[in-house]
Amino acid sequence: MYFAALLARTEDGWEASDTELDDVETLSDLTDLAREASVDEDTVLVFIEQEDAWFGVVRVDGEDDPRIFISDATAAARSSYGEILLTDELLGREPGAEDTIAALEELVGLDGTEDGDPDTSPDNDHTNDDDDDGLDADAVPAGPLGDTRVLADLGLPEAELLMLRTDALTEIADALGAAEVLETVR
């Protein structure tokens, strides 16, 4: 079960709206959604939470690149919404590296057979084909990942953000002075 909401800062305080992520496939889509909710290019926060397993905060300030914090990258890697936030840049990988490696393996034919020859080698491939488009949870660092200071200037210091576990989004909203506003969309 997921919960997703947008908090947009206005001159009158924070405005919250729940949001559907069904049409969001990339971080760029999520960033565009946040910018649409922005008033005068003010700060917009996107909260995503999966039943106390992990939470993520994406901060969009005008046209700046989004800033991301994920409470548990390993748990998020097992989630379709978490995969949106776990970008190559956030994981410290060269963008598109996985696609390049897969294309090279296909081009070179690393199974040891020539094109057209049957593969008579024993099947030692024990990979799970169900995870082909997902992130390998082993390749994702355990624990928090991203910009730990993403909310520091809004009232939630880095140390407090790192200590949050259950009911984290409520605690974040409380620190921002937006608890009542967030509760209206929960």
Side-chain angles (χ1 to χ4, degrees):
M1 181 78 152
Y2 290 94
F3 171 72
L6 294 171
L7 273 182
R9 186 158 69 175
T10 69
E11 59 186 43
D12 297 327
W14 292 95
E15 290 182 10
S17 59
D18 59 344
T19 186
E20 284 295 322
L21 298 179
D22 294 340
D23 295 330
V24 175
E25 296 179 6
T26 65
L27 180 59
S28 180
D29 293 341
L30 188 61
T31 303
D32 290 344
L33 186 68
R35 286 189 177 120
E36 289 171 12
S38 176
V39 177
D40 297 327
E41 295 190 6
D42 277 336
T43 300
V44 176
L45 302 174
V46 181
F47 292 154
I48 301 174
E49 179 179 57
Q50 182 186 8
E51 293 185 343
D52 294 332
W54 68 275
F55 70 90
V57 177
V58 178
R59 178 177 176 164
V60 178
D61 293 303
E63 292 299 315
D64 292 347
D65 287 341
R67 296 168 56 192
I68 303 167
F69 173 78
I70 300 170
S71 66
D72 185 336
T74 305
R78 293 185 291 266
S79 156
S80 58
Y81 295 127
E83 288 180 1
I84 292 170
L85 304 181
L86 291 168
T87 62
D88 287 336
E89 181 181 351
L90 190 65
L91 293 169
R93 295 190 295 224
E94 189 170 323
E98 287 180 6
D99 296 338
T100 302
I101 291 169
L104 287 173
E105 286 174 348
E106 186 175 314
L107 179 66
V108 174
L110 293 179
D111 64 357
T113 62
E114 295 291 326
D115 285 343
D117 289 347
D119 182 6
T120 57
S121 62
D123 186 12
N124 292 330
D125 184 15
H126 298 289
T127 60
N128 183 354
D129 290 338
D130 293 338
D131 288 340
D132 281 347
D133 22 327
L135 291 170
D136 180 6
D138 295 333
V140 176
L145 184 66
D147 185 349
T148 57
R149 299 191 41 76
V150 67
L151 301 171
D153 66 322
L154 298 174
L156 188 68
E158 176 179 16
E160 288 181 33
L161 179 64
L162 291 170
M163 292 186 335
L164 296 177
R165 295 291 173 252
T166 59
D167 208 22
L169 299 185
T170 301
E171 290 188 40
I172 291 170
D174 190 41
L176 303 175
E180 289 180 18
V181 175
L182 182 65
E183 199 56 41
T184 63
V185 297
R186 262 204 187 257

